[in-house]
Structure formats: C-alpha cells, structure tokens
Amino acid sequence: MMTGETMLRVGKVRSEEELEIVRDILDEIGANYEHVRSEPEDLYPQTAYFYVSIDVSHDADNLLSELSEKHGFDVEIL
C-alpha cells in the first residue's frame, strides 16, 4: 500500500459481472484504485480487496454501501 491509500473490502461478490459493478462505481467517483486480490481467487462468492485513494475512500464507502443494499455486498473500509 502506498501513502495516501486505504484498503476497501467488498465481500459477497457473486460473479465477475458484480466485480465489474464495483469497478464501475469506483470509476464513476473518480477513484484511484487497484484491485489487490480476491479470496478465493477463482471461485464465487468471493471477497475482493482494493487499495483506494484516501481522498475518495469516504465517497466510495457511501456509494458501495448503496450497492450493498442493492446487490448484497458486504463493504468495509479497513
């Protein structure tokens, strides 16, 4: 992790399409992010971990919280 970033955990991702939804939302808010890993890597459901720039981590948390209600994701800023 680089200075100025925090970890975003998104659990209960059920498909590659749902992982893409998370990426799309991060793109929409203009976040600088990097998908670090998913656990398990090749099976679903999985938990995905992203480094997200701190300046948008609060916005990302709010937007992904909305996604958790719509898609059932378990979202947390670590």
Side-chain angles (χ1 to χ4, degrees):
M1 182 166 61
M2 299 176 69
T3 302
E5 293 183 332
T6 190
M7 181 71 71
L8 174 69
R9 183 186 63 79
V10 183
K12 299 182 182 177
V13 178
R14 295 178 297 266
S15 67
E16 180 63 37
E17 291 78 20
E18 286 193 347
L19 190 56
E20 195 59 37
I21 289 169
V22 176
R23 290 183 183 117
D24 289 346
I25 291 296
L26 290 170
D27 287 339
E28 282 179 25
I29 65 170
N32 290 323
Y33 67 91
E34 176 184 352
H35 180 224
V36 180
R37 70 181 185 280
S38 293
E39 297 174 353
E41 285 186 33
D42 299 328
L43 299 172
Y44 292 95
Q46 63 182 216
T47 299
Y49 295 88
F50 296 85
Y51 285 141
V52 180
S53 58
I54 288 176
D55 60 333
V56 296
S57 63
H58 181 70
D59 290 336
D61 189 36
N62 290 336
L63 289 171
L64 291 171
S65 291
E66 292 177 28
L67 280 178
S68 70
E69 293 175 15
K70 185 174 180 182
H71 295 281
F73 296 143
D74 180 16
V75 182
E76 179 180 20
I77 298 285
L78 303 175

